[in-house]
Amino acid sequence: MKNRLPWLILALLCTGSVAAQTSQGTDDWQSRATFYAWGAGLDGNLRIVPGPRLSFNQDLSDVLSSLDFAAMMVAEARRGKWGVWADLQHVVLTENGRVPRLGFSGSARIKATGALLAGSYRLSESGSHYLDLIAGVRYWSLD
């Protein structure tokens, strides 16, 4: 297995936020971009017809050892009560192994992509607290 620790450290170091403000006025555009990282495990069943059902259970450390690429970012732009934001995620995992009872080797590659584009309207704001109404579209792809 390839050593994924440098990639994990790089992801944690890159997790942060960049903001740009033109001024403090409510009629000027304000924007922010945040790069982030999250982790998850995998658990499920796979059936290769006409073969046996294969079960898998991988915790976060197993998933990190199979990680080829990951990028995640959320960006927001706001002007007054109106805003637009996007959330983008792309993850690629590869795993090699043997299929039990069939005796052959195999490789699996998972590519997961998610994107969200939304508009928002600020209903109320009081100090650092606010309530936004958000509507948008979400795209998911799992190969």
Side-chain angles (χ1 to χ4, degrees):
M1 292 284 171
K2 297 181 237 172
N3 185 358
R4 305 295 179 179
L5 185 58
W7 289 108
L8 177 61
I9 293 170
L10 180 62
L12 292 174
L13 290 175
C14 290
T15 301
S17 181
V18 178
Q21 280 186 298
T22 54
S23 75
Q24 295 298 324
T26 58
D27 291 333
D28 294 324
W29 282 99
Q30 300 173 351
S31 62
R32 172 177 54 193
T34 304
F35 300 91
Y36 64 95
W38 54 260
L42 293 172
D43 184 20
N45 296 296
L46 174 69
R47 183 175 175 118
I48 302 171
V49 178
R53 179 179 303 258
L54 305 173
S55 296
F56 57 91
N57 185 344
Q58 292 191 315
D59 61 21
L60 177 59
S61 64
D62 296 327
V63 171
L64 287 175
S65 70
S66 301
L67 183 65
D68 294 327
F69 178 80
M72 296 157 203
M73 181 189 86
V74 63
E76 177 184 14
R78 173 167 295 286
R79 184 175 182 185
K81 291 184 173 273
W82 295 95
V84 61
W85 51 280
D87 187 3
L88 307 169
Q89 307 165 4
H90 185 69
V91 178
V92 180
L93 302 167
T94 303
E95 184 66 46
N96 300 309
R98 295 191 58 77
V99 178
R101 294 186 289 194
L102 296 180
F104 63 86
S105 296
S107 177
R109 184 177 195 128
I110 297 172
K111 286 195 253 182
T113 302
L116 171 72
L117 180 61
S120 65
Y121 180 76
R122 182 134 305 157
L123 296 172
S124 69
E125 184 171 4
S126 174
S128 63
H129 296 61
Y130 54 86
L131 178 64
D132 286 352
L133 177 66
I134 299 171
V137 293
R138 183 179 297 267
Y139 167 80
W140 284 103
S141 174
L142 181 62
D143 294 328

